Amino acid sequence: MVEGAGSRPRERAAMISISDLARRAGVRASALRFYETEGLIASARSAGGRRYYPKAELRRVAFIRAAQAVGLSLDDIRNALAALPGKRTPTKEDWEKLSRSWRPLLDARIAEMTRLRDTLTNCIGCGCLSLKACALYNPDDAAAKRGPGARYLLGDSAGDLMKKRPKARHAL
Amino acid sequence: MVEGAGSRPRERAAMISISDLARRAGVRASALRFYETEGLIASARSAGGRRYYPKAELRRVAFIRAAQAVGLSLDDIRNALAALPGKRTPTKEDWEKLSRSWRPLLDARIAEMTRLRDTLTNCIGCGCLSLKACALYNPDDAAAKRGPGARYLLGDSAGDLMKKRPKARHAL
DNA sequence: ATGCAAGTTAAAGTGAACTTTAAGTCAAGC
DNA sequence: GCTTGACTTAAAGTTCACTTTAACTTGCAT
C-alpha cells in the first residue's frame, strides 16, 4: 500500500524513495530514518515495507535542516512542526508562516553576535575579567548553554524565543 | 611545590585554587580538570597534589569560553592558544592579538546569518526546493557540518578561517 | 588530634544527532 | 530464476564537551 493515511492512493510517480529524498534533501538516508523514529517526518510504506515519500516531504526536510542551521534542536523543531496542519499537506503559506516565526530568533542571534564582535577584542585584553560588569562575564546575558551535550552558538536563546527552557546553567 | 615551570616560587597569595578559578571563570571545576587533560590550560601543584593557578590563568579560561561562544571547538581553540608565547605569561597585547583574529570569523558568521535571515522566508515557501539554484540548497555555501557529533551554527566556517577542514559533507 | 569540606584520580555516564554494522528482505534487470 | 543493489531492522558505535561517581587524600579549623 503505497499511500499515506489519506483515502485515495497517491500516484506511484508522485512518491519518491528514501535515497531519492536523501539525495534531493542533501541528507543521508540514515538521517531520514532517524528523523522518522524521532517523529519529525513520516513515510508511507510499500507492500514489502519500503519507505516512500510524497515529494512534499522534501519541504519538510528542508525546514528541518534550515531550522538546525538557525540553531534549533530537533526537539525545538518537532515542536515547531506541530504547528502545521495535521491532516492536509501543508501549503506554501503554512511554511511561510512557520519560517517567519524564526525572524525574531535570527534577529536576536545576529544582534548578539554583533555585540560579541564589538566588545570581544577589548574585553579579553582588559583587566576586567573578574568583574561582574564585564560584558563577557555577565551570566544573565542571552548566551548560555543548553546543558551538557551539543552546544549552540549563543546558547539557547532559541529556547527563550520558542518557549521551553531547560536547566541552562552559567553563561559565557 | 607551588610554582610553575618557572624558577622562582610564586607568592602563595598570587595563586588560586581550582574552585576559585572555577567560580571566577564561571565554569565547573570538573571542566577545568577536563581542559587540563585536553591541554588547554595548565596547573601548578601543591605538595599534596592540589592544583593551583596563577590569576592570569583566568584570562586563558575566559578566552576559551569566549571562543566557544563564537563557535570554535576545543580543538580549534587549542590551536589558537598555541600561538601564544610559551614561556612568559601572555600580555594584554598577546590576548588582544588573538582576539582580533576572530573578527573575520565573526564578521563571516554575522554575514551568513543575515543572508539566511533574508532568504529563508522566501525559500521555504517557494517551489525551488529541488533546484540547485535555491539559496537554501546550495551545498557549496559556507554552512556545512562538522562530521557527526556536536553541531555548530553555520557549520565549520571556523575551520575555513582557522585553516583545517575535516570531511565536511553536504551542507544545508 | 581530629573532623570534614575540598581536593585528587580513573573510569564511566550523558545528550544530541546521527552513522555504522549485522543480518536479513525486496524488487528490477537479465 | 537468479543475481545484485537498494532497502529493512535493531542495536551498537561515534563525537564533543563535559559531568558524575567512587574511592581515596589533603589540609585548615577547632
Side-chain angles (χ1 to χ4, degrees), chain A residues 117-155:
Chain A
R117 179 189 63 187
D118 294 342
T119 58
L120 209 53
T121 300
N122 293 13
C123 265
I124 285 292
C126 82
C128 70
L129 289 183
S130 59
L131 293 170
K132 291 154 220 60
C134 176
L136 273 179
Y137 267 113
N138 190 346
D140 297 333
D141 276 1
K145 61 179 203 180
R146 239 177 205 287
R151 204 172 261 278
Y152 293 91
L153 191 51
L154 301 176

Side-chain angles (χ1 to χ4, degrees), chain A residues 35-47:
Chain A
Y35 290 161
E36 186 170 332
T37 69
E38 291 291 300
L40 292 161
I41 62 175
S43 63
R45 297 303 186 104
S46 78

Side-chain angles (χ1 to χ4, degrees), chain A residues 24 26 59 62 65-66 69-70 92 99 102-103 107 113 117 120 124-126 129-130 137 153 170 172, chain B residues 24 26 59 62 65-66 69-70 92 99 102-103 107 109 113 117 120 124-126 129-130 137 153 170 172:
Chain A
R24 297 177 75 169
R59 210 176 298 276
R65 304 286 294 156
V70 188
K92 178 167 154 48
S99 302
W102 297 346
R103 272 220 60 150
D107 287 341
M113 292 278 303
R117 179 189 63 187
L120 209 53
I124 285 292
C126 82
L129 289 183
S130 59
Y137 267 113
L153 191 51
H170 56 259
L172 165 91
Chain B
R24 297 177 73 169
R59 211 177 297 276
R65 304 286 296 155
V70 186
K92 178 166 152 51
S99 302
W102 297 345
R103 271 220 61 149
D107 286 341
R109 284 202 190 285
M113 292 279 303
R117 179 188 63 189
L120 209 54
I124 285 290
C126 82
L129 288 185
S130 58
Y137 266 114
L153 190 52
H170 54 259
L172 165 92

